[in-house]
Amino acid sequence: MKNNQSKDPLHGITLQKIVEQLVGFYGFDTLAEIIPVKCFATNPSVKSSLTFLRKTDWARKKVEELYIQSLPKF
């Protein structure tokens, strides 16, 4: 029987989990340097970041790309 697991590294991972892991690894200061968005630089929190990223496709795509690039480091 074939294993039908997705090859997508984001499959089954919530945006919240992605943000929490990136913040845990890089911190908000470094995230704001890598992805210059206000939600990482000014009064950062996971909640405010999620609100922004859910409304802003280009920023979410950058966060997801950073997560995929960082996977071997986690």
Side-chain angles (χ1 to χ4, degrees), residues 21-62:
Q21 285 193 316
L22 289 174
V23 169
F25 187 76
Y26 293 106
F28 279 113
D29 292 339
T30 304
L31 274 178
E33 291 175 16
I34 298 170
I35 305 170
V37 292
K38 190 175 178 180
C39 69
F40 293 152
T42 307
N43 295 323
S45 71
V46 171
K47 184 178 178 180
S48 67
S49 299
L50 290 173
T51 301
F52 175 76
L53 294 171
R54 287 182 178 133
K55 294 178 183 178
T56 315
D57 288 337
W58 66 266
R60 181 166 74 215
K61 188 168 212 61
K62 287 187 176 279

